[in-house]
Amino acid sequence: MVLHFPDPAKLKTKKILFEEVFAALDCGTLEQLKELSSKRRAIEETINATSSITEAIAREMYGGLTSHNEQDLQKLKQYLPLLENLVFHVDMVSSNTRMARWISNLRIQWASALTGTLPFLNLMGPKYFQVNDIRFELGMNLFLYGAILRERALEVMPEDLVQSATLFREAAGVYHHISHGVLPSLQSANSVQRPPEATFSVTTVMNLICLAEAQIVTIMKAEEKRTTAGLLGKLHYGVSEFLDEAMSLLHPRTSELKDISARLLEYISSCKALHELRSQKYLAEELRTAGQVGVAIGVLCEALTNARKRIPGEESWKDIIKKEIDEAAEALRKLESENEFVWHDKIASGDELPLPQGSRIVKIIPYHPTRCETTLVFKL
């Protein structure tokens, strides 16, 4: 079982009508601006839960797709090439004062899903961040795209582990692209407060989380193939290494991350604890097979002590971790009984225990943005 953290996909945004802000010089440009607004409206209605389209009509609109996640990905795939084209043309005249004023008048606003203040606890509603940069709009839509890829990966996991791992790796590639291909150009807006989703730290954290999740699914496939306990242990510890790196980017918190979601931190910590415990269970199994029963008992004792200190508050996560603890405790009980009656090995502890070793085997699938190469001409 895996821990589920859907929060990154819970973004909100305010309405934008491009054709009412930009002055088009020709009919073709005006049509493109209207198309941008239309494609964005489909995304706005989805994430703001304001759509009046029935499920049957939605299926027909999106080629028979029944999965909401697939439909939402299709909406973003239709909007992003148009947006990339607008970014391209805005960059060509970025120093023009009229263009700068138009971008400001767009009032690009997004509400974060990863701030410490949860929207349902905020009587005034979610806090919206406005950044007057067209790349802010691009970055937030790409963040949403990566988040929905994650959700789709979880959705297909029960039926297709290979596709699930691929989707997680694609999501990691999207977040890597945001960090290195989009956010560097937003540095000029450094003085403006931005949501966590528009910071290098959080997009890098999401990249690492997706890689960890891709490796979790890869382990599930390896377990189906009855891979050796030693390798499975290293792969599980590799998951915890991905997450440890992610946690290090969020601590100590910088000023831009001072209001980061406690649920995000708890998810990383809980997932890390779960896979450290699974890693140690496999290590103990490997040691038992090698005849090192006393060391195996010591490994399980330490692993259980650590896991019991890190039980999360989230009920669904707590149930999964407690089940893993119960299984490890039962394995320890059997080992201790076996040792008492058969082996009489000295129980290892402290420096006598082997250091855990991790193996990270998954890589990102690079995201390659596509642009609708239609010429846009404005009245500048």
Side-chain angles (χ1 to χ4, degrees):
M1 297 179 71
V2 298
L3 307 189
H4 184 202
F5 179 63
D7 295 20
K10 297 178 180 179
L11 293 165
K12 302 289 183 187
T13 188
K14 293 286 185 75
K15 184 177 180 180
I16 290 178
L17 290 173
F18 293 95
E19 69 275 16
E20 292 188 1
V21 175
F22 292 95
L25 192 60
D26 58 30
C27 293
T29 299
L30 180 60
E31 285 305 310
Q32 280 292 299
L33 292 172
K34 288 181 178 179
E35 185 73 358
L36 269 163
S37 298
S38 173
K39 298 305 182 187
R40 191 185 198 274
R41 189 177 307 116
I43 297 165
E44 293 165 3
E45 291 176 349
T46 296
I47 64 177
N48 295 338
T50 57
S51 177
S52 58
I53 296 174
T54 65
E55 290 203 9
I57 293 174
R59 281 197 302 272
E60 188 175 336
M61 287 173 63
Y62 296 101
L65 296 175
T66 56
S67 161
H68 286 255
N69 289 318
E70 280 192 296
Q71 290 175 7
D72 294 345
L73 289 171
Q74 193 66 26
K75 293 169 190 176
L76 284 157
K77 286 176 181 177
Q78 292 175 357
Y79 177 58
L80 283 167
L82 298 173
L83 182 58
E84 291 278 3
N85 192 45
L86 180 63
V87 171
F88 174 79
H89 284 88
V90 167
D91 282 350
M92 290 174 67
V93 289
S94 58
S95 60
N96 184 280
T97 55
R98 181 171 293 183
M99 178 59 75
R101 186 165 65 251
W102 289 344
I103 297 297
S104 177
N105 291 341
L106 281 176
R107 294 182 59 80
I108 304 168
Q109 297 179 76
W110 287 80
S112 173
L114 298 177
T115 54
T117 305
L118 296 174
F120 63 81
L121 294 178
N122 190 342
L123 297 178
M124 301 298 291
K127 176 184 177 180
Y128 282 87
F129 297 81
Q130 179 174 329
V131 179
N132 298 329
D133 191 314
I134 196 65
R135 275 192 169 77
F136 176 56
E137 170 72 0
L138 178 60
M140 294 303 287
N141 276 280
L142 283 169
F143 193 99
L144 179 63
Y145 183 58
I148 297 173
L149 279 172
R150 278 186 74 236
E151 292 304 302
R152 178 61 182 158
L154 282 166
E155 190 174 54
V156 304
M157 189 185 295
E159 291 83 35
D160 193 334
L161 292 174
V162 174
Q163 185 188 1
S164 178
T166 298
L167 287 165
F168 278 126
R169 292 172 59 215
E170 286 179 355
V174 170
Y175 289 118
H176 183 272
H177 173 71
I178 301 170
S179 298
H180 299 277
V182 178
L183 291 183
S185 299
L186 263 177
Q187 295 308 308
S188 58
N190 236 357
S191 60
V192 179
Q193 189 179 12
R194 289 184 272 168
E197 291 88 346
T199 64
F200 179 84
S201 297
V202 170
T203 53
T204 305
V205 163
M206 288 304 303
N207 167 39
L208 290 164
I209 286 174
C210 291
L211 286 173
E213 291 166 334
Q215 180 138 327
I216 291 167
V217 180
T218 302
I219 293 168
M220 293 166 70
K221 190 69 177 175
E223 287 173 332
E224 284 185 355
K225 295 179 178 179
R226 300 189 180 279
T227 302
T228 64
L231 178 54
L232 290 171
K234 288 177 181 178
L235 292 175
H236 275 293
Y237 201 76
V239 171
S240 73
E241 288 179 337
F242 276 125
L243 297 169
D244 192 49
E245 186 178 344
M247 188 65 84
S248 71
L249 289 167
L250 299 175
H251 292 297
R253 300 186 194 181
T254 62
S255 58
E256 67 179 10
L257 296 177
K258 61 184 177 183
D259 195 30
I260 196 71
S261 163
R263 270 177 55 81
L264 172 61
L265 297 171
E266 185 176 54
Y267 171 73
I268 296 171
S269 175
S270 301
C271 198
K272 181 174 181 290
L274 176 64
H275 290 278
E276 282 179 357
L277 177 56
R278 287 175 175 170
S279 169
Q280 298 303 82
K281 278 174 59 183
Y282 278 118
L283 175 58
E285 183 181 331
E286 182 186 32
L287 290 165
R288 161 66 184 84
T289 302
Q292 300 181 57
V293 177
V295 181
I297 291 171
V299 164
L300 278 179
C301 283
E302 183 173 83
L304 282 165
T305 299
N306 292 334
R308 286 170 177 146
K309 293 176 183 175
R310 297 157 71 184
I311 295 176
E314 174 78 25
E315 283 301 322
S316 61
W317 302 347
K318 184 189 296 184
D319 291 344
I320 292 172
I321 291 180
K322 280 189 171 181
K323 182 175 183 293
E324 201 71 32
I325 287 173
D326 289 344
E327 290 177 2
E330 177 61 17
L332 175 61
R333 185 193 66 76
K334 289 180 178 178
L335 269 179
E336 287 176 329
S337 177
E338 181 181 336
N339 191 51
E340 180 180 354
F341 289 102
V342 180
W343 305 110
H344 310 294
D345 272 11
K346 175 181 176 293
I347 309 303
S349 62
D351 292 340
E352 298 170 330
L353 298 176
L355 293 174
Q357 293 181 329
S359 177
R360 304 194 216 183
I361 62 170
V362 298
K363 307 290 182 186
I364 68 167
I365 295 177
Y367 173 76
H368 299 291
T370 58
R371 177 170 71 88
C372 172
E373 297 186 10
T374 303
T375 302
L376 303 179
V377 187
F378 303 104
K379 293 179 183 177
L380 294 171

